Amino acid sequence: MPTSIRSVAGLAIGVAIACQILWAQRPGGMPSNSSGTGGNRLPPSMNGLSNTSVPGSLNGNVYLTGNVLMDDGTPPPGPVTIERVCGGAPRAQAYTDLRGRFSFQIGQTAGVTQDASEEGAGLPGAPRPATSIASGTGPAQQATNAPDMLANCDLRAVLAGFRSDLVSLGGRHLLDDPNVGTIMLHRLANVEGTAVSMASLQAPKEARRAYGKAQQDLRRNKSEEAAKELLKAVEIYPKYAAAWYELGRIQEQRRDAGQARNSYAQAMAADSKFISPYLAVAELEAKAENWAALADVTSRLLKLDAVDYPMAYFYNATANLLRGRIDAAETSARAGEKLDPSHRYPRMEQVLGAILARKKDYAGAAAHLRSYLALEPDAEEAARTRKELAEMDRLSGANEQAKAAAVQP
């Protein structure tokens, strides 16, 4: 096998391994957040959602309350994540309740599922927040520094398919009114997918009661009881997409991929615009290395929402690369790269390197591999990537020498 082909094959294998690593590192779902970087996961608990008025500070800690409304003046159709963004680094703080209200103490995030990329929780090389308040320092330090540390922070709501207003936290003092007011969510144009199943909102009372009991059982780690309640919910209301999705998650945790796939398929059939089951199926196909199926499900997902899921572009690009569909792979990878200007998903650089190597753009491949290594110098496969980079540099140099020789008289 020629050296250049071996190099490209190594890059493709590395990307496939990266896909597996990303799948294994996800905390129950694809990484997600807002402003073109992801959607909501349903919360595992509703901690920190008290609507009781609280003082702006207690023992020196900062508390914030407020509410979220859609741009038509109605509450969101389901729980919305509230994120605090400091120095460009987001951190989930709380979820809204059924009326769109939220309250939380700065730095206290018990029961809140963090994005895998936040604070390096799952993705190596992910940026860490620049301030100690963003990285969850202890109450004593918060009491001293909280107002100063909030100077470069904003608050936003996160719901896939929507753009959130920003509430600046700069200039707040410990004794200020904790109510930050209303955060508005504005529907993005050309986004059909939803983070909350609209069909599920039409479920009859008995089905909703069973679903509610299942949620309680899940919060108590009683998955068997939860599965029974979810089955009851879908028997009463077969179009209960949210219940099918939660049932699929339980089956996936039991390592029953076949049943999980069936439940996710039922969820998509019940509500074709509900994003969560598409994400779950993508994870299953990535784990199983079913590249054709992965390309298909991520393509369907991206037709529903092309602005909120850069990781879906990564999966799609990887699947198409490994199927030999290089142009389609490049289109997806470059679209994902545009959605990720802060490089929260550095492996996008790796897949672009592999794609350009296949297209014999060795200089371009080297540039992306160099960027990847700068973002993830201690990655598990960094040593192999450095060897591939050296090969790309060699091939690029050889190309330049051949061009120079061709123009000589």
Side-chain angles (χ1 to χ4, degrees):
M1 182 184 293
T3 304
S4 60
I5 299 300
R6 283 200 304 269
S7 178
V8 172
L11 283 171
I13 292 169
V15 170
I17 292 171
C19 198
Q20 290 292 300
I21 291 171
L22 288 173
W23 181 89
Q25 289 171 334
R26 96 268 192 250
M30 269 186 176
S32 58
N33 64 57
S34 69
S35 302
T37 53
N40 279 43
R41 288 183 298 270
L42 292 178
S45 67
M46 300 296 284
N47 292 347
L49 299 186
S50 170
N51 60 356
T52 306
S53 297
V54 294
S57 66
L58 182 63
N59 297 327
N61 296 318
V62 176
Y63 288 83
L64 298 175
T65 68
N67 69 301
V68 177
L69 291 177
M70 313 300 283
D71 48 16
D72 62 1
T74 61
V80 170
T81 304
I82 303 300
E83 282 188 345
R84 180 166 47 89
V85 186
C86 298
R91 181 166 179 79
Q93 291 286 169
Y95 300 110
T96 58
D97 64 14
L98 296 179
R99 296 184 182 181
R101 300 172 297 189
F102 64 87
S103 67
F104 64 92
Q105 176 184 331
I106 291 290
Q108 300 299 313
T109 57
V112 180
T113 302
Q114 296 298 331
D115 185 328
S117 61
E118 288 163 7
E119 298 194 0
L123 297 178
R128 291 182 177 272
T131 60
S132 60
I133 192 73
S135 56
T137 52
Q141 188 168 349
Q142 290 178 24
T144 304
N145 299 330
D148 292 337
M149 302 303 281
L150 291 177
N152 193 31
C153 295
D154 296 312
L155 211 61
R156 70 185 181 192
V158 182
L159 187 64
F162 291 83
R163 174 181 58 81
S164 171
D165 287 346
L166 295 178
V167 174
S168 175
L169 300 180
R172 295 192 67 86
H173 298 90
L174 290 175
L175 297 180
D176 285 351
D177 183 349
N179 195 325
V180 300
T182 299
I183 301 176
M184 300 298 296
L185 286 171
H186 307 277
R187 184 74 182 179
L188 294 172
N190 302 318
V191 174
E192 297 182 16
T194 59
V196 177
S197 170
M198 297 303 173
S200 298
L201 299 179
Q202 308 302 317
K205 186 176 180 180
E206 288 302 313
R208 284 188 280 113
R209 182 179 290 117
Y211 181 80
K213 288 181 180 177
Q215 290 295 305
Q216 293 176 1
D217 288 332
L218 287 172
R219 288 194 286 271
R220 296 167 183 162
N221 295 318
K222 297 181 177 180
S223 61
E224 293 296 328
E225 291 85 344
K228 292 177 183 178
E229 293 295 336
L230 291 169
L231 284 170
K232 185 187 300 182
V234 297
E235 286 174 3
I236 298 170
Y237 183 58
K239 291 187 177 181
Y240 211 149
W244 280 117
Y245 168 68
E246 292 294 346
L247 182 60
R249 292 186 64 182
I250 293 172
Q251 292 162 338
E252 191 177 349
Q253 289 169 0
R254 295 174 181 166
R255 301 180 185 275
D256 191 343
Q259 286 295 326
R261 274 191 178 86
N262 178 66
S263 293
Y264 294 143
Q266 294 282 358
M268 288 186 281
D271 188 343
S272 62
K273 296 183 179 181
F274 181 33
I275 293 290
S276 295
Y278 291 88
L279 299 174
V281 171
E283 293 171 1
L284 284 175
E285 305 303 2
K287 182 182 181 184
E289 299 185 6
N290 294 330
W291 305 122
L294 180 60
D296 175 68
V297 72
T298 49
S299 293
R300 292 161 62 195
L301 187 161
L302 292 169
K303 286 180 180 177
L304 291 172
D305 188 339
V307 300
D308 282 311
Y309 299 96
M311 189 52 60
Y313 282 108
F314 172 86
Y315 279 129
N316 188 267
T318 300
N320 279 306
L321 169 64
L322 295 173
R323 297 172 69 211
R325 300 186 174 185
I326 307 306
D327 289 338
E330 183 176 8
T331 298
S332 287
R334 293 202 182 279
E337 186 181 38
K338 287 181 181 178
L339 289 181
D340 186 29
S342 61
H343 300 290
R344 300 181 71 211
Y345 304 101
R347 295 186 188 275
M348 201 78 75
E349 298 286 345
Q350 188 183 39
V351 75
L352 271 166
I355 290 165
L356 293 179
R358 286 286 296 270
K359 300 186 81 170
K360 298 185 179 181
D361 179 0
Y362 302 123
H368 284 288
L369 292 179
R370 199 168 280 111
S371 295
Y372 169 69
L373 288 170
L375 292 165
E376 288 199 315
D378 300 320
E380 200 172 310
E381 62 221 47
R384 183 177 65 245
T385 303
R386 290 188 181 93
K387 291 180 181 179
E388 300 296 344
L389 173 58
E391 179 66 3
M392 293 301 104
D393 282 334
R394 186 190 70 79
L395 291 169
S396 177
N399 278 355
E400 291 302 316
Q401 290 178 2
K403 289 178 183 178
V407 298
Q408 289 179 356

